[in-house]
Amino acid sequence: MNAFTGLYTHALDEKHRVSIPRKILETLRAHDSADEIVVTAGLDGCLFLYTKQGFDAIAQKVDGSPLGEESTRDFQRNFYSSTERCPVDGNGRFLLGDNLRALVGISDRVTFLGSGQRVELWQPEAWNERQTRTRANYTTQAKDVLR
């Protein structure tokens, strides 16, 4: 399956490049996506990082939604306008653009969190607060997910 797993916090350099954590980079290689990733607005205050193929699968779902629905059009506009294809350099770094950083308040550090078929990128303090708030419900969440 090659799922993305783990939790890592890395610093951005002065050019706003960030190194992809080694374990995540290995998974990207397994998905043949170590040279380019796709980053877009996520949910709950984070960014979503996808492989090229993973993004294409999500894009099919987005494009398959009913165009006659205003909420669909609004979501498509927000989703695609905040999406960036990011080349990954030979050192495993990518540029986290101004628009994406501003969406979630990332400045000098970013927390990478493996989430199955995607990676979430969080402002570290926002992730810590979310984790503290939701971890207490882990057993209840498991009952809903693992039926």
Side-chain angles (χ1 to χ4, degrees), residues 19-92:
S19 294
I20 298 171
R22 184 178 53 80
K23 295 282 187 184
I24 290 176
L25 194 56
E26 289 171 3
T27 304
L28 287 169
R29 287 184 182 125
H31 285 278
D32 195 29
S33 194
D35 62 335
E36 182 182 73
I37 55 174
V38 182
V39 182
T40 191
L43 303 173
D44 305 317
C46 71
L47 301 172
F48 287 168
L49 181 156
Y50 291 103
T51 63
K52 295 175 281 191
Q53 300 87 349
F55 179 79
D56 289 345
I58 294 298
Q60 281 184 329
K61 290 180 182 180
V62 171
D63 291 342
S65 299
L67 191 57
E69 297 289 332
E70 183 177 9
S71 62
T72 295
R73 295 188 305 276
D74 287 341
F75 180 82
Q76 289 172 333
R77 290 175 186 122
N78 285 307
F79 180 75
Y80 284 115
S81 68
S82 66
T83 297
E84 293 184 20
R85 292 189 176 274
C86 303
V88 178
D89 71 16
N91 295 318

Side-chain angles (χ1 to χ4, degrees), residues 109-145:
R109 297 179 310 130
V110 60
T111 295
F112 291 78
L113 115 83
S115 194
Q117 294 303 301
R118 70 177 183 276
V119 176
E120 295 183 358
L121 305 178
W122 287 80
Q123 192 276 345
E125 289 76 19
W127 166 248
N128 290 337
E129 187 272 301
R130 176 105 185 159
Q131 176 71 348
T132 298
R133 188 167 36 86
T134 62
R135 186 64 181 192
N137 298 322
Y138 189 67
T139 300
T140 303
Q141 296 160 352
K143 289 176 185 176
D144 292 339
V145 172

